[in-house]
Amino acid sequence: MTVRPFLPYDDRRLHQPAAEVGAITETVRMIWDDMIDTMEAMPGVGLAAPQIGIMQRLAVVDASDKRGQAVRMANPEILHASVQYRQYEEASPNLPGVSARISRPRAVTVRFLNEAGETEDRDFVGLWATSVQHQIDHLNGRVYVDHLSPLRRKMLVARSAKTLRAR
């Protein structure tokens, strides 16, 4: 397996929707494996394929305490979102050195193709739900800072760029 490099925030691919996955193939499974390795190396609780330059609707999420419980998703879509919201400090390796509190539904029901190629509906709550929604945003060409005011977004993007220049 391979740890893949992250696209920088200003890469146009991060700001456009990813393509649907037609079938779960061995190639898709290998991409998921690389994504899990990359997510663990961050370390993080989720990763969407566009973050590493793969423009397919693939995501992995593992918000478990012990790790090793990653859910592999192709073409995830939210079927239902709770009316109760929770805030969580979100970040992205595509925008290093910064984070922001984002408010999202506390629970979601998501439909996706699983590793076996079967359609699965699954409920996610808490950090799992936050991470799934964060990854679906990436698949739709959105980054968490798109939930902020234009001024706050501009400030965080500038601060992240400064952090990268200092490295």
Side-chain angles (χ1 to χ4, degrees), residues 95 98-100 145 148 152-161:
L95 202 56
V98 297
S99 63
V145 293
L148 304 172
R152 179 88 168 113
R153 178 174 48 247
K154 186 176 179 179
M155 288 172 46
L156 288 177
V157 170
R159 189 179 320 148
S160 179

Side-chain angles (χ1 to χ4, degrees), residues 17 25 33 93 161:
T25 62
D33 289 344

Side-chain angles (χ1 to χ4, degrees), residues 1 26 29 38 40 62 72 80 93 100 107 116 129 149 152:
M1 303 315 128
E26 192 55 39
R29 288 184 182 94
T38 303
E40 293 297 340
D62 189 349
R72 301 161 187 246
H80 174 75
S149 71
R152 179 88 168 113

Side-chain angles (χ1 to χ4, degrees), residues 32-53:
W32 271 329
D33 289 344
D34 286 356
M35 290 172 65
I36 290 169
D37 289 346
T38 303
M39 174 184 68
E40 293 297 340
M42 279 191 277
V45 294
L47 187 68
Q51 292 182 268
I52 56 174

